[in-house]
């Protein structure tokens, strides 16, 4: 475990840090923590916007640009490519600078980038290259935000409240899946699919405003934890990057769940890349039906989030994430089996999405909390960044593979391949050391 291993070889002897808010108010109730409420509110709005855009952006490509399966796979690949390109560099950046400030910058940048899509539609200049560029740049800022966010949360809450905090954020994710599709359907009906993307841009503005209201300020550690005298030299920066990978490898638990997550994400992306084409082309679902299915699945996921933290307290975070992956693998199989009449297909899709929603909630809370519990604040960004890089490294290739399989053998074939691979990801995490983890990580 990283806390037991320590990180002294990479730490400056005179390094100091500001006390965390959690240290100052160890008995504060989570819902009385105004900083956490601000963070939670901003993320809730942002997640709703992302849920709306999750439906709107692919439909812009499918309904306005009439893209092929390969082109849609290319867009999906570009969306997940940034963690591979910038992932190793994000960790040191997050550890050296204010995570709070980086999150605000990421939100403002994503809002500006996404706003170009509806503007391009209005003036008749939307093109595939523009969507690819926007998807790539938004992905870079999202990679930065996600690492900073996960590393910043322990600065706001106590160690005992981490699981509850992550569960509430996961509940917001499920709630966004419940409300987002309905909002997306209404926006698409009123202003077309690009209106859904505009709503996502606005949600990032709201998120940035909520982040500005947070009073706790982390200033970042400001200098290299490798070598103060050479903090801006490339070699020192590279050594900082290696710190995250080195500490990750030394923690058998975190390495196991990271390896499993990498396999699982690769195979899930094979399904995700061509998913909306499958719904519209093979199952003949329209925007309203797609929104209805996602809304129903969101209800299932929301209820699971409410009891997630209590379940973790009973069985531990290790079992929580394993059970989560099992349920997600079942969901992937149901998506691949969807067929028949519209009602029959919708039943399969709703069941599959519901399982994925439940599983993602359980796995996400267990996975995120384990990393927060088992890493020290000074190196948390680099360890999380290293894990995200390993997880994302092969995902862009999965999107391309999905496009090739979908074009050559049919869209359902890609879903079947993805579902089969998700079972392999589950097998990779079936380790006694993970299964026995309690709620303290």
């Amino acid at each position: 475990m990283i806390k037991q291993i320590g990180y002294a070889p990479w730490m400056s002897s005179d390094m100091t840090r500001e006390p965390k808010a959690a240290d100052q108010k160890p008995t504060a109730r989570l819902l009385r923590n105004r900083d956490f409420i601000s963070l939670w509110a901003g993320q809730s709005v942002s997640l709703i916007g992302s849920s709306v855009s999750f439906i709107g952006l692919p439909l812009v490509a499918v309904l306005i640009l009439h893209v092929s399966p390969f082109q849609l796979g290319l867009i999906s690949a570009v969306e997940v490519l940034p963690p591979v390109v910038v992932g190793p560099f994000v960790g040191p950046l997050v550890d050296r600078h204010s995570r709070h400030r980086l999150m605000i910058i990421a939100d403002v940048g994503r809002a500006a980038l996404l706003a170009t899509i509806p503007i391009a539609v209005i003036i008749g200049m939307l093109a595939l290259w523009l969507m690819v560029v926007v998807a790539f740049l938004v992905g870079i800022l999202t990679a930065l935000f996600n690492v900073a966010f996960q590393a910043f949360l322990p600065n706001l809450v106590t160690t005992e409240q981490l699981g509850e905090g992550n569960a509430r954020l996961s509940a917001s994710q499920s709630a966004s899946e419940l409300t987002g599709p309905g909002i997306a359907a209404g926006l698409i009906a009123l202003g077309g699919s690009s209106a859904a993307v505009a709503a996502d841009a606005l949600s990032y503005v709201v998120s940035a405003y909520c982040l500005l209201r947070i009073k706790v300020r982390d200033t970042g550690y400001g200098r290299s934890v490798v070598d103060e005298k050479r903090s801006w030299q490339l070699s020192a920066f590279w050594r900082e990057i290696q710190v995250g990978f080195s500490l990750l490898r030394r923690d058998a638990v975190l390495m196991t769940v990271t390896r499993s997550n990498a396999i699982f994400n690769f195979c899930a992306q094979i399904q995700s890349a061509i998913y909306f084409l499958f719904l519209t082309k093979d199952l003949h679902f329209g925007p309203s039906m797609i929104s209805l299915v996602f809304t129903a699945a969101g209800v299932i996921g929301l209820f699971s989030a409410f009891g997630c933290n209590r379940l973790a307290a009973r069985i531990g975070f290790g079992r929580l994430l394993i059970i989560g992956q099992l349920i997600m693998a079942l969901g992937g199989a149901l998506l691949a089996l969807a067929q028949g009449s519209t009602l029959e297909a919708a039943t399969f899709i709703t069941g599959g999405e519901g399982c994925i929603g439940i599983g993602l909630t359980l796995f996400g809370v267990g996975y995120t909390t384990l990393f927060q519990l088992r890493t020290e604040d000074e190196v948390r960004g680099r360890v999380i960044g290293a894990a995200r890089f390993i997880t994302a490294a092969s995902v862009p290739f999965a999107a391309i593979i999905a496009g090739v399989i979908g074009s050559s053998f049919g869209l359902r074939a890609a879903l079947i391949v993805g579902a089969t691979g998700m079972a392999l990801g589950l097998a990779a995490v079936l380790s006694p050391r993970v299964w026995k983890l309690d709620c303290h990580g």
Side-chain angles (χ1 to χ4, degrees):
M1 183 164 90
I2 287 181
K3 282 191 175 182
Q4 296 174 339
I5 293 170
Y7 47 89
W10 296 277
M11 286 293 293
S12 169
S13 61
D14 63 345
M15 176 170 288
T16 59
R17 68 180 180 93
E18 295 295 325
K20 297 190 297 185
D23 297 331
Q24 299 166 9
K25 298 181 180 181
T27 60
R29 292 179 58 84
L30 187 63
L31 295 183
R32 294 179 182 175
N33 185 331
R34 293 184 178 181
D35 286 333
F36 175 77
I37 294 300
S38 294
L39 181 71
W40 186 20
Q43 276 303 284
S44 297
V45 173
S46 177
L47 287 169
I48 291 175
S50 296
S51 182
V52 170
S53 186
F54 176 73
I55 295 175
L57 197 59
L59 290 180
V60 167
V62 172
L63 301 178
I64 297 180
L65 294 180
H66 306 289
V67 297
S68 67
F70 180 79
Q71 289 173 322
L72 189 60
L74 176 63
I75 295 174
S76 298
V78 170
E79 288 178 333
V80 296
L81 184 61
V84 180
V85 177
V86 303
F89 310 102
V90 168
L93 185 65
V94 166
D95 284 339
R96 293 174 60 166
H97 299 281
S98 168
R99 295 156 183 172
H100 178 251
R101 188 178 300 115
L102 290 175
M103 291 161 61
I104 295 173
I105 292 172
D107 271 344
V108 173
R110 288 186 290 183
L113 287 167
L114 285 173
T116 64
I117 298 295
I119 292 174
V121 172
I122 292 174
I123 64 179
M125 295 185 62
L126 183 67
L128 181 61
W129 70 264
L130 177 61
M131 294 196 66
V132 169
V133 170
V134 169
F136 181 73
L137 294 178
V138 168
I140 289 178
L141 293 176
T142 298
L144 174 63
F145 183 93
N146 288 341
V147 175
F149 178 85
Q150 191 171 337
F152 182 62
L153 181 61
N155 293 113
L156 301 184
V157 302
T158 66
T159 299
E160 292 74 15
Q161 293 171 338
L162 273 176
E164 183 182 356
N166 286 317
R168 291 185 180 278
L169 290 163
S170 183
S172 293
Q173 174 71 57
S174 298
S176 71
E177 294 171 0
L178 172 61
T179 59
I183 296 173
L187 290 172
I188 292 172
L190 293 174
S193 51
S194 62
V197 182
D200 192 14
L202 180 61
S203 74
Y204 285 125
V205 174
V206 175
S207 177
Y209 170 74
C210 290
L211 288 172
L212 285 170
R213 292 175 57 85
I214 294 178
K215 295 181 180 180
V216 169
R217 295 289 188 270
D218 67 319
T219 59
Y221 296 100
R223 60 179 66 181
S224 171
V225 297
V226 176
D227 188 341
E228 294 179 12
K229 297 180 180 179
R230 302 188 303 157
S231 62
W232 293 105
Q233 292 184 10
L234 182 60
S235 60
F237 189 72
W238 176 248
R239 290 171 63 193
E240 287 190 47
I241 294 174
Q242 292 178 309
V243 168
F245 288 94
S246 177
L247 292 178
L248 180 62
R249 285 194 301 268
R250 294 187 186 189
D251 191 307
V253 168
L254 295 186
M255 195 64 224
T256 297
V257 299
T258 298
R259 187 183 302 113
S260 170
N261 196 28
I263 298 172
F264 202 93
N265 276 0
F266 176 85
C267 299
Q269 182 62 28
I270 293 178
Q271 285 198 333
S272 178
I274 49 82
Y275 185 47
F276 281 95
L277 273 179
F278 177 72
L279 295 179
T280 56
K281 303 298 183 182
D282 284 22
L283 301 184
H284 308 291
F285 284 7
S288 297
M289 177 58 74
I290 293 174
S291 297
L292 182 62
V293 166
F294 276 96
T295 299
V299 173
I300 299 173
L302 181 60
F303 279 108
S304 68
F306 287 137
C308 185
N309 194 49
R310 291 183 179 179
L311 182 61
R314 287 175 176 268
I315 67 176
F317 289 117
R319 291 183 178 91
L320 190 73
L321 67 86
I322 290 176
I323 293 172
Q325 276 205 347
L326 172 63
I327 298 174
M328 281 194 288
L330 174 60
L334 290 175
L335 297 183
L337 293 173
Q339 58 184 325
S341 65
T342 299
L343 180 59
E344 292 172 334
T347 301
F348 275 100
I349 295 296
T350 302
E353 288 292 340
C355 286
I356 290 174
I358 295 172
L360 190 60
T361 297
L362 301 182
F363 175 83
V365 171
Y367 182 87
T368 301
T369 308
L370 279 179
F371 270 87
Q372 292 167 336
L373 288 174
R374 297 175 71 89
T375 55
E376 294 287 359
D377 192 41
E378 288 85 348
V379 294
R380 186 174 296 125
R382 275 162 291 173
V383 176
I384 294 172
R388 285 184 174 273
F389 173 78
I390 294 173
T391 299
S394 62
V395 170
F397 301 102
I400 299 297
I401 290 172
V404 172
I405 295 175
S407 299
S408 303
F409 304 101
L411 300 174
R412 187 182 301 278
L415 292 178
I416 293 173
V417 170
T420 303
M422 289 165 74
L424 297 177
L426 171 63
V429 81
L430 295 178
S431 165
R433 61 168 59 96
V434 177
W435 182 258
K436 295 178 181 180
L437 287 173
D438 59 21
C439 59
H440 299 292

